[in-house]
């Protein structure tokens, strides 16, 4: 893996983290708007049962899915960062050892 690939992977991880932060901000605004909106009045005189009893609202479902997507993006970015550091050690260790050996030989 070349240095260009590593730089690109780091840039991609940072972009994913920035996108997850934007998604979290959007979801916070949506939740604030939903909390501020008054609940519709119940139909006291109606005895029909066409409404959904209990369950999640569409907004809550969107918030949970968006929060999950944000978590996945952050975790992916963290995984890429850890993998890149590990790869740097795996590649840099033997190269550093070989360089030190050559320097000690005096060549």
């Amino acid at each position: 893996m070349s240095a260009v690939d590593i730089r690109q992977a780091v840039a991609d991880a940072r972009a994913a983290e920035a996108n997850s932060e934007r998604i979290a901000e959007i979801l916070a605004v949506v939740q604030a708007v939903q909390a501020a909106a008054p609940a519709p009045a119940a139909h006291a005189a109606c005895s029909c049962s066409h409404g959904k009893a209990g369950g999640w609202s569409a907004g809550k479902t969107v918030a949970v899915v968006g929060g999950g997507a944000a978590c996945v993006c952050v975790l992916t970015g963290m995984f890429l960062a850890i993998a890149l550091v590990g790869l740097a050690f795996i590649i840099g260790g033997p190269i550093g050892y070989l360089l030190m050996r050559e320097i000690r030989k005096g060549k």
Side-chain angles (χ1 to χ4, degrees), residues 36-98:
H43 297 289
C46 181
S47 64
C48 58
S49 61
H50 57 75
K52 182 172 79 167
W56 282 19
S57 67
K60 189 171 185 179
T61 303
V62 169
V64 168
V65 170
C71 288
V72 168
C73 288
V74 169
L75 290 175
T76 301
M78 287 173 40
F79 173 75
L80 284 173
I82 291 169
L84 289 174
V85 169
L87 186 63
F89 278 113
I90 290 171
I91 293 172
I95 291 173
Y97 172 74
L98 293 172

Side-chain angles (χ1 to χ4, degrees), residues 11-59:
D12 291 343
R14 288 181 180 156
E17 186 176 359
N19 286 339
S20 66
E21 291 174 3
R22 287 188 200 118
I23 291 170
E25 290 173 357
I26 291 169
L27 289 175
V29 170
V30 168
Q31 288 177 341
V33 169
Q34 288 177 347
H43 297 289
C46 181
S47 64
C48 58
S49 61
H50 57 75
K52 182 172 79 167
W56 282 19
S57 67

